[in-house]
Amino acid sequence: MSKFYDKPSSDLLYQALLEVQDLEECRRFLQDLCTVSELKAMEQRMEVAMLLDQGLIYSDILERTGASSATISRVNRSLNYGADGYLSLIHI
């Protein structure tokens, strides 16, 4: 893992996320924390991850989500070689 993620300031964010109690509280926190563009990008990446996990091909995902091939490729790389963050939440 990158040294960036090991900083105490990163722990503050991750700890705050663990304290979220429900969907509405999570939504409010992320709306305060992120720009509209950042939230849309994260929402899109999560949708792409779910569609890739379901076995959809890039062209179908692009058509459904509007995500670029670079975004789809990045998410696919994370699904296959990442820290299993997407998979741990997709398979709840």
Side-chain angles (χ1 to χ4, degrees), residues 13-66:
L13 172 62
Y14 303 137
Q15 190 61 45
L17 287 169
L18 289 172
E19 299 300 322
V20 171
Q21 299 295 313
D22 57 37
L23 182 64
E24 186 56 33
E25 186 177 11
C26 183
R27 182 177 283 118
R28 288 191 320 264
F29 175 66
L30 290 175
Q31 286 173 348
D32 283 351
L33 181 67
C34 303
T35 66
V36 171
S37 296
E38 290 167 335
L39 275 174
K40 285 183 178 182
M42 288 188 291
E43 291 166 357
Q44 184 182 65
R45 287 193 296 268
M46 190 67 194
E47 184 178 8
V48 166
M50 294 175 73
L51 295 173
L52 283 167
D53 188 61
Q54 293 170 14
L56 271 73
I57 60 173
Y58 278 39
S59 58
D60 291 339
I61 295 170
L62 189 142
E63 186 177 313
R64 272 184 148 170
T65 66

